[in-house]
């Protein structure tokens, strides 16, 4: 693995942001992503699974969502999912590792990917999460 991994690097796809505490009804409003035009807020879409738009525009079919969920280890992670419409029904894709989702967003919307990465780095700097390399 190389040092100084950057957004868009293949190795960046293996980066995962692990949250110190799960997202709950009590704290979900602390995870607001401000994009300048709208305020995204975490919403519980299934028990202990929370989602919030990272990129969603009326004139673009591509959408990306933050997704927080618990993994097998019991830790809560910040993942991503794309939004997909199937026969008129909207659903989220399978979760993407944090870095993978950011790289996908970077391919579609590089400026938004940088803002999303800053938001996640702010979570890490506030000691609310840690970046880790996963296999």
């Amino acid at each position: 693995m190389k040092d100084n991994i950057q957004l868009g690097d293949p190795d960046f796809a293996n980066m995962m942001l692990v949250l110190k505490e799960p997202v709950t009804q009590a704290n979900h409003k602390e995870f607001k992503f401000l994009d300048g035009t709208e305020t995204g807020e975490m919403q519980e879409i299934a028990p202990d699974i929370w989602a919030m738009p990272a990129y969603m525009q009326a004139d673009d079919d591509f959408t990306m969502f933050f997704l927080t969920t618990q993994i097998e280890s019991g830790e809560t992670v910040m993942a991503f999912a794309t939004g997909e419409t199937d026969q008129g029904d909207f659903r989220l894709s399978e979760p993407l590792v944090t870095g993978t989702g950011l790289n996908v967003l970077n391919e579609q919307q590089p400026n938004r990917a940088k803002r999303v990465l800053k938001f996640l780095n702010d979570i890490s700097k506030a000691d609310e999460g840690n970046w880790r390399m996963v296999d």
Side-chain angles (χ1 to χ4, degrees):
M1 181 179 76
K2 69 179 189 174
D3 291 335
N4 199 19
I5 298 171
Q6 299 291 318
L7 177 64
D9 291 348
D11 286 342
F12 190 79
N14 296 323
M15 297 300 294
M16 175 70 79
L17 184 65
V18 179
L19 299 177
K20 290 201 172 179
E21 299 291 332
V23 176
T24 64
Q25 284 292 341
N27 71 4
H28 76 280
K29 291 188 179 198
E30 296 172 18
F31 295 92
K32 287 186 178 179
F33 177 63
L34 307 171
D35 71 1
T37 57
E38 298 176 17
T39 301
E41 185 176 294
M42 287 282 182
Q43 295 186 17
E44 192 171 24
I45 59 171
D48 300 320
I49 300 175
W50 294 78
M52 171 176 64
Y55 176 80
M56 187 166 58
Q57 300 294 320
D59 60 349
D60 191 345
D61 289 338
F62 175 77
T63 59
M64 181 70 73
F65 290 81
F66 297 97
L67 196 66
T68 64
T69 188
Q70 225 175 45
I71 57 175
E72 289 178 15
S73 67
E75 296 169 302
T76 300
V77 298
M78 183 73 75
F80 286 96
T82 57
E84 302 166 351
T85 303
D86 182 26
Q87 298 177 348
D89 293 330
F90 182 81
R91 60 181 55 129
L92 295 176
S93 70
E94 289 294 314
L96 304 169
V97 171
T98 317
T100 299
L102 281 165
N103 278 352
V104 169
L105 182 57
N106 190 54
E107 290 169 12
Q108 299 285 328
Q109 295 290 332
N111 288 335
R112 177 57 63 96
K114 289 173 189 162
R115 292 202 316 248
V116 169
L117 178 58
K118 182 188 180 315
F119 171 74
L120 297 177
N121 281 335
D122 287 348
I123 290 171
S124 178
K125 287 177 188 170
D127 201 29
E128 296 173 5
N130 295 303
W131 285 102
R132 291 193 196 149
M133 182 66 72
V134 296
D135 294 330

